[in-house]
């Protein structure tokens, strides 16, 4: 067999860690080509003719059970290959369980499931464990396999003590070239039991193939048509706009000590509620730049809802539709931004102009090919994409007290000079008093989710966790508020900013939606090209500040909690998968489960970064990573697709803007998007009473096997309080 250019077939069972496994294989077997298929993509009869072109098969993990045909697909047939079709196979988790039960073993549920748990792996230091004295590995499983025939030779175990006893962690077929592990070698917290195991497997696979005289056949063009390109498949970027045609950014800088985003917004006319307005507000540390749009009557608004065949465009009083034709909406927006590129802005300023707005949770659900609710538009009239193209902007640097006045319009120096003069006339800033909120405390009608139904849903979610369908489910619900309209949405935002300051706050008045945010969580940021760096910062683990809640206390309470660390780990592994799917190998965890201090809370934050390999370039890399990463993993659970399917049935209504994202894509190529949590929103047509407004607040939490349903309900209420304060209802009267 030719081993200079090995070729692997990776079978994916719709898992959210598959590309991590592909990256591990590529590292363990340098220069190999990896082709991925889903376990229901081909029948065994369609797959058999292709196997002669592969050096080995890797059967990845996935949700569900290996004895259910809808979960395991073609994998169950692969173990029955004839001698002439035989080749080395390595199974992981679900793949390993399938190996055992298809050779006489039995599948059993763990008494205590292991989702995101780290265990010491006991082994005999031979075969795939040769030269590995100790292994510590991550486990994601609800079932375990017990061999009941001499065909499977056990190789490793985990001692779970009184929880589960001794659990099989690895094994091999005694006469066929089949190996597998129950744990996840690709997890970020698995040690050499990941990379070294794959290297040992490959050495054994090569030895077996050489003894058999097995030859690797070329991959025919017809096979390429079936399989698609190998991973990583780095799409060529679209032709860049030349420097002579790109718009030049005009910039004027004003030193303005004491300036705040609030008084700049009010100078720009935020109180005119008939007009759209945009503020992305770094209202607390570690935020730095606040972005305020100075919109024109002709500023272009882009609207789209899942299922539309066109995008809706609005400018001034004109409305028109542009058919997507051969594009999907993601490609249409990418093409729009490619034609809108700009240069010569201040490199230290993250936003020069471009698109700002919201992307709904359901937009991400649709990207996973998960069906949306049939009647969703009866209850959710908010667009799934609502973006405005910003040509004039002011960016406040809260660190240096500089305001950057920027324009993409030619010959706009007169406007810039006028704005500069107006900024210098601004009085010292002032904040709204607490009394503004207390005036309405008795008149805010708050409809919380029904407690008994919510707790029942938590228990149903845990049933899915125990059955192996998910490792973590982020269950959420809406709270509905009806409030008098005498306080404007801008007034409410100022109250929200005061009672719950956050680094990723926002006031977005994008008709028909108004969105207020005090989000603590950045979803993704990406730098300008070349060498675009994508960074994601998931938060799992939050502790509210209080007397005695020091950093040391927070470290112990959060990093010392198996539940909190497991939640964070699952999302880190999921995000690594999303990044690997687009950029290839160059993905790394820069920070894992570190405690960060915010205005009102301590939070456990991880940081994952990725970039294309040297010599590759893609102008829309950040946008593509964003597309592949939605919905945010911190708001779904893992595996993502199966988790989202479950949540679609558990939850009663669309999440809409909640747990989607908001932010910008700059004409210079960079972008920054945050998770829409600690937020509220309304639709301008929701209320039939002109004296009242209807607002929605979403809240929820990550449900794991270790969750206590009552504690999860209490946590959901706690997350509501910061936003309810903007309505004078931090301790609401409830109308269920």
């Amino acid at each position: 067999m030719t081993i200079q250019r090995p070729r692997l077939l990776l079978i994916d069972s719709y898992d959210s860690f598959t590309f991590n496994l592909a990256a591990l294989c590529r590292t363990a077997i340098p220069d190999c080509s990896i082709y991925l298929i889903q376990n229901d993509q081909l029948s065994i009869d369609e797959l058999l003719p292709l196997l002669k072109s592969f050096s080995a098969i890797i059967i990845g993990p996935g949700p569900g059970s290996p004895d259910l045909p809808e979960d395991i697909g073609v994998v169950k047939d692969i173990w029955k290959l004839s001698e002439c079709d035989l080749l080395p196979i390595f199974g992981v988790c679900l793949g390993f369980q399938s190996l055992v039960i298809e050779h006489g073993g039995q599948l059993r549920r763990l008494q205590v499931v292991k989702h995101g748990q780290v265990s010491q792996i006991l082994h005999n230091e031979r075969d795939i464990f040769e030269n590995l004295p100790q292994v510590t590995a991550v486990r994601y499983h609800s079932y375990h396999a017990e061999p009941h025939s001499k065909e499977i030779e056990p190789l490793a175990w985990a001692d779970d003590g009184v929880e589960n006893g001794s659990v099989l962690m690895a094994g091999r077929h005694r006469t066929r070239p089949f190996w597998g592990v129950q744990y996840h070698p690709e997890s970020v917290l698995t040690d050499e039991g990941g990379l070294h195991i794959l290297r040992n497997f490959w050495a054994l696979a090569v030895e077996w193939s050489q003894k058999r005289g097995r030859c690797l056949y070329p991959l025919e063009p017809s096979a390429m048509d079936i399989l698609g390109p190998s991973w990583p498949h780095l799409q060529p970027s679209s032709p860049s706009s030349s420097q002579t045609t790109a718009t030049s950014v005009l910039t004027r800088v004003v030193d303005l000590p004491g300036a705040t985003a609030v008084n700049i917004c009010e100078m720009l006319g935020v109180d005119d509620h008939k007009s759209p307005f945009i503020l992305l507000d770094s209202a607390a540390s570690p935020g730095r730049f606040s972005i305020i749009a100075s919109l024109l009557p002709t500023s272009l608004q882009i609207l789209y809802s899942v299922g539309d065949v066109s995008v809706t465009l609005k400018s001034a009083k004109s409305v028109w539709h542009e058919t997507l034709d051969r594009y999907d909406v993601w490609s249409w927006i990418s093409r729009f931004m490619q034609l809108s590129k700009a240069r010569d802005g201040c490199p230290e300023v993250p936003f020069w102009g471009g698109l700002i707005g919201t992307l709904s949770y359901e937009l991400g659900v649709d990207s996973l090919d998960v069906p949306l609710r049939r009647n969703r538009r009866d209850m959710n009239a908010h667009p799934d994409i609502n973006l405005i193209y910003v040509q004039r902007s002011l960016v406040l640097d809260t660190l240096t007290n500089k305001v950057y006045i920027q324009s993409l319009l030619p010959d706009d120096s007169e406007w810039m000079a006028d704005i500069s003069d107006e900024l210098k006339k601004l009085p010292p800033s002032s904040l709204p008093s607490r009394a503004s909120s207390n005036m309405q405390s008795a008149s805010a009608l708050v409809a919380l989710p029904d407690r008994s139904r919510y707790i029942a849903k938590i228990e149903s979610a845990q049933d899915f966790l125990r059955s192996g369908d998910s490792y973590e489910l982020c269950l959420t619900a809406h709270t509905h508020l009806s409030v008098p309209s005498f306080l404007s949405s801008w007034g409410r935002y100022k109250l929200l900013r005061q009672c719950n300051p956050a680094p990723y706050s926002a006031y977005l008045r994008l008709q028909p939606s108004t969105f207020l945010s005090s989000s603590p969580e950045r979803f993704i940021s990406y730098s300008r090209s070349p060498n675009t760096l994508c960074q994601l910062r998931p938060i799992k683990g939050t502790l509210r500040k209080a007397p005695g809640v020091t950093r040391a206390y927070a470290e112990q309470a959060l990093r010392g909690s198996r539940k909190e660390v497991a939640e964070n780990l699952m999302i880190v592994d999921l995000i690594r998968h999303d990044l690997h799917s687009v950029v290839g190998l160059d993905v790394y965890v820069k920070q894992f489960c570190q405690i960060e201090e915010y205005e009102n809370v301590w939070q456990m934050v991880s940081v994952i970064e990725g970039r294309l390999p040297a010599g590759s370039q893609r102008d829309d890399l950040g946008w593509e990573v964003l597309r592949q990463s939605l919905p945010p993993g911190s708001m779904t659970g893992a595996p993502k697709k199966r988790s989202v399917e479950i949540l679609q049935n558990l939850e009663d209504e669309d999440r809409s803007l909640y747990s989607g994202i908001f932010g910008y894509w700059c004409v210079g190529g960079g972008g920054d998007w945050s998770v829409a949590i600690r937020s509220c929103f309304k639709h301008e047509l929701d209320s039939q009473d002109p004296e009242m407004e209807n607002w929605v607040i979403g809240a929820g939490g990550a449900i794991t096997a270790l969750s206590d349903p009552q504690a999860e309900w209490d946590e959901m209420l706690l997350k509501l309080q910061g936003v309810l304060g903007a309505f004078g209802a931090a301790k609401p009267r409830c109308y269920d």
Side-chain angles (χ1 to χ4, degrees):
M1 182 177 75
T2 303
I3 61 171
Q4 288 78 10
R5 292 283 297 174
R7 201 177 294 126
L8 304 183
L9 179 66
L10 175 51
I11 300 180
D12 171 33
S13 292
Y14 294 94
D15 198 59
S16 287
F17 305 147
T18 300
F19 287 104
N20 299 338
L21 184 57
L24 182 67
C25 290
R26 186 70 181 267
T27 304
I29 310 169
D31 210 27
C32 70
S33 299
I34 300 174
Y35 291 82
L36 281 85
I37 61 168
Q38 262 81 50
N39 66 17
D40 58 357
Q41 184 175 332
L42 300 173
S43 69
I44 190 64
D45 291 335
E46 293 169 319
L47 186 58
L48 284 177
L50 306 178
L51 296 184
K52 62 185 179 182
S53 300
F54 287 96
S55 313
I57 297 175
I58 309 295
I59 299 176
S65 168
D67 58 6
L68 294 178
E70 62 268 28
D71 291 339
I72 200 66
V74 74
V75 172
K76 66 182 184 302
D77 299 313
I78 287 178
W79 307 114
K80 303 178 180 67
L81 294 177
S82 66
E83 286 297 314
C84 63
D85 293 318
L86 203 57
L87 76 168
I89 302 175
F90 187 84
V92 175
C93 198
L94 185 75
F96 172 65
Q97 293 169 2
S98 179
L99 164 64
V100 176
I101 69 169
E102 293 299 331
H103 292 93
Q106 188 170 4
L107 192 69
R108 296 188 182 275
R109 283 195 181 189
L110 294 171
Q111 291 182 341
V112 179
V113 300
K114 297 295 179 179
H115 295 162
Q117 302 297 316
V118 179
S119 297
Q120 184 175 350
I121 307 302
L122 309 173
H123 58 85
N124 52 21
E125 296 189 42
R126 65 181 186 81
D127 205 83
I128 56 174
F129 290 92
E130 187 173 349
N131 297 321
L132 269 175
Q134 185 172 325
V135 172
T136 301
V138 173
R139 297 163 62 185
Y140 293 106
H141 62 119
S142 303
Y143 295 100
H144 68 109
E146 293 181 350
H148 287 291
S149 75
K150 293 183 178 180
E151 289 182 280
I152 299 298
E153 177 186 358
L155 295 175
W157 305 260
D159 184 1
D160 286 356
V162 296
E163 293 180 336
N164 301 303
S166 180
V167 180
L168 183 66
M169 284 289 111
R172 61 161 296 165
H173 195 282
R174 293 183 186 274
T175 60
R176 308 192 108 199
F178 302 159
W179 292 263
V181 294
Q182 174 63 71
Y183 65 84
H184 281 243
E186 79 286 354
S187 174
V188 69
L189 288 191
T190 295
D191 61 12
E192 282 298 303
L195 182 62
H196 202 117
I197 287 289
L198 263 295
R199 285 174 174 163
N200 282 348
F201 160 72
W202 180 241
L204 291 168
V206 170
E207 180 183 356
W208 180 90
S209 297
Q210 289 176 337
K211 285 181 179 178
R212 292 284 297 259
R214 185 173 185 269
C215 297
L216 190 64
Y217 284 73
L219 204 55
E220 300 293 337
S222 58
M224 298 285 288
D225 292 339
I226 296 171
L227 297 169
S230 64
W231 178 88
H233 178 58
L234 304 177
Q235 294 273 8
S237 63
S238 20
S240 298
S241 301
S242 69
Q243 292 297 304
T244 55
T245 58
T247 300
S248 185
V249 182
L250 305 178
T251 308
R252 177 176 287 203
V253 185
V254 178
D255 288 304
L256 208 63
T260 69
V262 169
N263 56 20
I264 294 175
C265 288
E266 291 176 346
M267 180 198 83
L268 291 175
V270 68
D271 289 313
D272 176 10
H273 290 276
K274 294 181 180 180
S275 301
F277 199 88
I278 286 174
L279 164 64
L280 298 177
D281 189 7
S282 292
S285 176
R288 176 177 173 181
F289 293 97
S290 291
I291 299 167
I292 305 122
S294 179
L295 297 175
L296 297 158
T298 55
S299 292
L300 181 68
Q301 185 175 15
I302 302 171
L303 301 166
Y304 171 82
S305 290
V306 171
D308 290 351
V309 297
S310 61
V311 291
T312 298
L313 304 174
K314 295 184 177 181
S315 177
K317 295 183 179 180
S318 299
V319 179
W320 68 101
H321 305 276
E322 186 164 322
T323 304
L324 291 171
D325 291 329
R326 67 182 185 278
Y327 297 103
D328 59 26
V329 69
W330 297 93
S331 302
W332 188 95
I333 292 173
S334 179
R335 179 169 161 263
F336 175 89
M337 287 299 288
Q338 187 66 40
L339 297 173
S340 304
K341 290 187 69 173
R343 57 184 174 85
D344 300 333
C346 291
E348 67 271 22
V349 178
F351 180 79
W352 299 341
L355 294 176
I356 297 181
T358 61
L359 307 179
S360 77
Y361 172 81
E362 281 69 33
L363 183 70
V365 172
D366 179 68
S367 71
L368 296 174
D369 293 326
V370 174
L372 300 179
R373 294 172 178 86
R374 291 183 180 179
N375 63 341
R376 63 184 298 257
R377 283 302 165 210
D378 295 340
M379 300 293 293
N380 173 20
H382 296 275
D384 292 312
I385 294 177
N386 193 344
L387 302 169
I388 288 187
Y389 183 60
V390 176
Q391 294 172 290
R392 287 174 171 172
S393 60
L394 285 76
V395 177
L396 169 63
D397 185 342
T398 60
L399 183 65
T400 65
N401 293 315
K402 295 181 184 295
V403 178
Y404 295 83
I405 306 166
Q406 302 173 122
S407 178
L408 302 178
L409 301 173
D411 304 321
D412 210 16
S413 55
E414 183 177 350
W415 171 81
M416 299 176 73
D418 290 344
I419 289 293
S420 178
D421 291 342
E422 291 296 316
L423 286 171
K424 293 172 184 177
K425 296 175 185 176
L426 283 176
S429 62
S430 61
L431 292 175
S433 66
R434 293 283 180 186
S436 300
S437 173
N438 294 336
M439 287 171 58
Q440 330 169 53
S441 59
S443 56
L445 304 182
V446 181
L448 289 170
D450 181 86
R451 177 183 173 277
S452 59
R453 279 178 54 79
Y454 191 79
I455 287 180
K457 291 175 185 294
I458 293 172
E459 293 168 346
S460 294
Q462 290 181 309
D463 288 340
F464 284 109
L465 300 176
R466 284 187 283 269
S467 66
D469 288 286
S470 177
Y471 314 132
E472 169 184 310
L473 287 165
C474 186
L475 182 68
T476 74
H478 282 171
T479 290
H480 296 269
L481 296 89
S482 182
V483 296
S485 58
F486 60 78
L487 184 63
S488 69
S489 60
W490 174 244
R492 294 197 188 283
Y493 174 71
K494 289 194 288 185
L495 284 173
L496 177 62
R497 191 181 193 271
Q498 177 179 296
C499 65
N500 196 42
Y504 310 109
S505 298
Y507 176 74
L508 301 177
R509 195 166 66 221
L510 308 173
Q511 284 94 349
S513 306
T514 299
F515 173 79
L516 318 181
S517 175
S518 58
S519 175
E521 184 173 355
R522 169 183 273 163
F523 175 52
I524 181 175
S525 61
Y526 42 94
S527 62
R528 299 180 178 112
S529 59
N531 303 318
T532 296
L533 177 70
C534 297
Q535 182 188 87
L536 292 95
R537 294 177 56 87
I539 292 174
K540 281 295 177 186
T542 300
L543 188 65
R544 187 165 290 278
K545 286 184 174 178
V549 181
T550 62
R551 174 176 285 276
Y553 182 92
E555 291 269 357
Q556 178 59 36
L558 296 176
R559 297 193 71 185
S561 166
R562 280 200 315 156
K563 175 182 180 293
E564 301 288 359
V565 172
E567 287 180 22
N568 202 301
L569 171 62
M570 289 182 230
I571 304 309
V572 167
D573 279 341
L574 186 156
I575 287 172
R576 291 172 56 234
H577 160 89
D578 289 340
L579 272 173
H580 277 306
S581 73
V582 181
V583 305
L585 283 177
D586 197 355
V587 174
Y588 59 97
V589 178
K590 184 178 181 181
Q591 169 182 307
F592 181 74
C593 283
Q594 294 299 306
I595 305 303
E596 294 185 355
E597 183 176 8
Y598 291 76
E599 193 84 10
N600 295 324
V601 296
W602 298 96
Q603 306 217 111
M604 190 158 66
V605 183
S606 295
V607 178
I608 308 97
E609 295 183 342
R611 66 169 83 235
L612 289 172
S616 299
Q617 181 175 333
R618 180 171 179 169
D619 292 340
D620 65 346
L621 175 65
W623 185 245
E624 181 61 21
V625 170
L626 183 149
R627 172 184 184 171
Q628 296 293 335
S629 302
L630 289 177
S634 61
M635 301 306 298
T636 62
K640 187 185 285 186
K641 182 173 183 178
R642 181 68 64 87
S643 297
V644 168
E645 289 171 341
I646 293 168
L647 291 168
Q648 284 291 98
N649 290 316
L650 282 179
E651 297 178 356
D652 296 327
E653 56 189 321
D654 279 9
R655 296 186 184 183
S656 189
L657 304 188
Y658 168 64
S659 69
I661 60 172
F662 64 95
Y664 68 81
W665 186 1
C666 172
V667 290
D672 203 334
W673 300 84
S674 303
V675 182
I677 55 176
R678 316 298 193 272
S679 306
C680 59
F681 55 93
K682 70 169 185 173
H683 192 282
E684 62 184 16
L685 300 178
D686 264 356
S687 179
Q688 297 179 352
D689 183 350
E691 302 298 319
M692 301 295 288
E693 294 179 342
N694 295 328
W695 290 81
V696 176
I697 307 173
I703 309 304
T704 71
L706 299 175
S707 292
D708 173 72
Q710 180 59 48
E712 293 293 343
W713 167 260
D714 294 340
E715 180 182 332
M716 188 271 289
L717 294 182
L718 180 64
K719 291 174 178 176
L720 283 173
Q721 287 183 10
V723 182
L724 285 172
F727 298 88
K731 295 182 178 179
R733 296 171 61 191
C734 303
Y735 298 81
D736 292 332

